[in-house]
Amino acid sequence: MLCCVQKFTVKKMAHHHLWILLFCLQTCLEASGSNTDIFTVNGILGESATFPLNIQPSQKVTSISWHSKTSVAFVIPGNLGAEPTVTITHQNYHERISVSGQNYNLELRNLRIEDSGIYNADINVETSKTTTTRSYNLQVYRRLGKPKITQSFMTSVNSTCNVTLTCSVDKEEKNVTYSWSPRGEEGNVLQIFRTPDNQEETYTCTAWNPVSNNSDSISAQQLCADITMSPHTRRTGLMSGLAVLSLLIIILPSVVLFLLCKRREGSFLKKFSKNPGAPHQGGASEHNLLPNAIL
Ligand SMILES: *[C@@H]1O[C@H](CO)[C@@H](O)[C@H](O)[C@H]1NC(C)=O
Ligand SMILES: *[C@@H]1O[C@H](CO)[C@@H](O)[C@H](O)[C@H]1NC(C)=O
Ligand SMILES: *[C@@H]1O[C@H](CO)[C@@H](O)[C@H](O)[C@H]1NC(C)=O
Ligand SMILES: *[C@@H]1O[C@H](CO)[C@@H](O)[C@H](O)[C@H]1NC(C)=O
């Protein structure tokens, strides 16, 4: 529409350029024909959404055909104010659709994520031979759960703790935005400097999607807790290091000893197998010698 106004002004300035106006009218008509207001309908998973046709009672509708990726439903108005006849034309929509007898708005219940998409209603009226199409973009979202705040990249200089807070929602949700209060910052990352002066402050992250919002908070006192704990973690690290070392000290000599014994035993076996006379006797001798080899 803005296009029309601008081009019209141009036309006024140059009277002889009538074709500009014509061109403008054409493009405007095209524009209004192609993007014909795709009406956005946001729905919540498991709940219901309504496609508003808002047809006036004076308009004598003969049929409405709904289709999306598949066909959806076929609606024939009832005579003399009777309920419309609704035929569900795809099993996905079985028992989930109802149509208002007043304005023929279609309600889809028990929404699924995969219901998201473009829905078209082809409307036929008695007085016109042409079919009018209304388009809707249904988007089904989950109600957001509590977001999670994690802290990272902590550095501490002179009792001022520099920490990065990251806010995130559990699953891979679409169209989620984040904001922080009291700072009013947008985005899921917040840089904080905790000084002894702002210990009392609380930071709240709110996650938003088109159908819901949810928030969680963290107090400045909770921040940088890991830094104050770090000497402790260093100590436990040292302890486990010592444990591994002492284990090595015990195990390594035993392994070496065992290998040494094995090797000595092997050389005895070789000696006896070289003796062609009595292989069985050799076997027996081996058993006798084995304890000596170990000792
Ligand atoms: C705070 O930490 C971030 C991330 O490690 C770093 O980029 C930034 O320069 C630090 N700011 C100050 C003032 O130390
Ligand atoms: C930390 O404190 C020392 C003196 O105690 C000062 O010289 C230094 O500039 C301080 N550093 C910061 C980052 O405030
Ligand atoms: C949702 O996100 C998509 C891209 O991921 C974008 O095209 C669309 O405009 C967004 N919708 C809203 C309501 O923010
Ligand atoms: C945020 O969510 C609450 C319910 O959790 C709702 O009452 C409120 O209207 C929502 N705020 C906005 C701006 O959507």
Side-chain angles (χ1 to χ4, degrees), residues 159-203:
S159 74
T160 295
C161 174
N162 170 9
V163 58
T164 304
L165 298 184
T166 307
C167 188
S168 57
V169 288
D170 259 2
K171 301 190 192 77
E172 276 188 28
E173 304 286 352
K174 48 181 184 171
N175 295 81
V176 179
T177 58
Y178 300 89
S179 64
W180 292 90
S181 62
R183 300 268 204 93
E185 282 183 26
E186 302 285 322
N188 69 330
V189 175
L190 184 69
Q191 195 80 36
I192 301 263
F193 298 96
R194 195 198 73 167
T195 63
D197 301 335
N198 67 1
Q199 298 257 354
E200 300 306 314
E201 197 142 14
T202 297
Y203 303 97

Side-chain angles (χ1 to χ4, degrees), residues 40 42 137 139 141 174-177 209-210:
T40 301
N42 291 327
N137 183 2
Q139 291 299 316
Y141 301 93
K174 48 181 184 171
N175 295 81
V176 179
T177 58
N209 73 3

Side-chain angles (χ1 to χ4, degrees), residues 68-84:
S68 181
K69 285 157 271 184
T70 65
S71 62
V72 175
F74 193 71
V75 180
I76 296 173
N79 278 329
L80 305 163
E83 286 299 300

Side-chain angles (χ1 to χ4, degrees), residues 44-79:
I44 302 174
L45 183 68
E47 300 184 20
S48 62
T50 299
F51 299 100
L53 278 180
N54 290 322
I55 291 171
Q56 302 307 310
S58 58
Q59 291 176 276
K60 288 252 182 279
V61 172
T62 53
S63 72
I64 303 164
S65 169
W66 287 90
H67 51 99
S68 181
K69 285 157 271 184
T70 65
S71 62
V72 175
F74 193 71
V75 180
I76 296 173
N79 278 329

Side-chain angles (χ1 to χ4, degrees), residues 260-281:
L260 270 173
C261 292
K262 268 267 177 189
R263 198 190 261 174
R264 219 175 284 169
E265 180 191 324
S267 57
F268 274 120
L269 277 174
K270 249 179 239 165
K271 253 184 222 163
F272 278 100
S273 59
K274 267 178 191 164
N275 186 348
H280 287 288
Q281 216 181 323

Side-chain angles (χ1 to χ4, degrees), residues 39-290:
F39 192 92
T40 301
V41 178
N42 291 327
I44 302 174
L45 183 68
E47 300 184 20
S48 62
T50 299
F51 299 100
L53 278 180
N54 290 322
I55 291 171
Q56 302 307 310
S58 58
Q59 291 176 276
K60 288 252 182 279
V61 172
T62 53
S63 72
I64 303 164
S65 169
W66 287 90
H67 51 99
S68 181
K69 285 157 271 184
T70 65
S71 62
V72 175
F74 193 71
V75 180
I76 296 173
N79 278 329
L80 305 163
E83 286 299 300
T85 309
V86 182
T87 311
I88 308 301
T89 48
H90 196 282
Q91 58 184 17
N92 281 358
Y93 301 97
H94 184 61
E95 291 194 333
R96 298 166 61 210
I97 280 178
S98 51
V99 173
S100 154
Q102 251 95 62
N103 47 24
Y104 309 118
N105 289 355
L106 182 136
E107 184 193 41
L108 180 57
R109 291 184 302 271
N110 196 6
L111 289 171
R112 306 164 182 171
I113 295 292
E114 60 269 22
D115 287 334
S116 298
I118 302 291
Y119 286 73
N120 294 302
D122 294 332
I123 306 162
N124 291 307
V125 292
E126 236 169 49
T127 50
S128 170
K129 284 274 181 284
T130 58
T131 302
T132 314
T133 301
R134 302 255 180 97
S135 295
Y136 302 85
N137 183 2
L138 173 68
Q139 291 299 316
V140 180
Y141 301 93
R142 284 187 187 82
R143 226 185 253 287
L144 288 178
K146 237 186 204 329
K148 201 178 285 164
I149 300 175
T150 51
Q151 39 180 321
S152 55
F153 304 121
M154 283 166 283
T155 53
S156 199
V157 179
N158 294 358
S159 74
T160 295
C161 174
N162 170 9
V163 58
T164 304
L165 298 184
T166 307
C167 188
S168 57
V169 288
D170 259 2
K171 301 190 192 77
E172 276 188 28
E173 304 286 352
K174 48 181 184 171
N175 295 81
V176 179
T177 58
Y178 300 89
S179 64
W180 292 90
S181 62
R183 300 268 204 93
E185 282 183 26
E186 302 285 322
N188 69 330
V189 175
L190 184 69
Q191 195 80 36
I192 301 263
F193 298 96
R194 195 198 73 167
T195 63
D197 301 335
N198 67 1
Q199 298 257 354
E200 300 306 314
E201 197 142 14
T202 297
Y203 303 97
T204 300
C205 164
T206 307
W208 307 80
N209 73 3
V211 296
S212 65
N213 67 81
N214 207 332
S215 42
D216 198 13
S217 301
I218 190 165
S219 75
Q221 272 166 339
Q222 285 170 268
L223 298 176
C224 308
D226 286 0
I227 278 193
T228 52
M229 266 167 62
S230 64
H232 170 72
T233 45
R234 221 174 287 147
R235 209 177 303 137
T236 52
L238 195 65
M239 294 293 265
S240 53
L242 276 176
V244 169
L245 202 68
S246 49
L247 270 177
L248 277 179
I249 287 169
I250 295 165
I251 289 170
L252 211 65
S254 343
V255 171
V256 169
L257 214 68
F258 178 74
L259 286 177
L260 270 173
C261 292
K262 268 267 177 189
R263 198 190 261 174
R264 219 175 284 169
E265 180 191 324
S267 57
F268 274 120
L269 277 174
K270 249 179 239 165
K271 253 184 222 163
F272 278 100
S273 59
K274 267 178 191 164
N275 186 348
H280 287 288
Q281 216 181 323
S285 313
E286 182 207 333
H287 279 294
N288 291 338
L289 284 164
L290 202 58

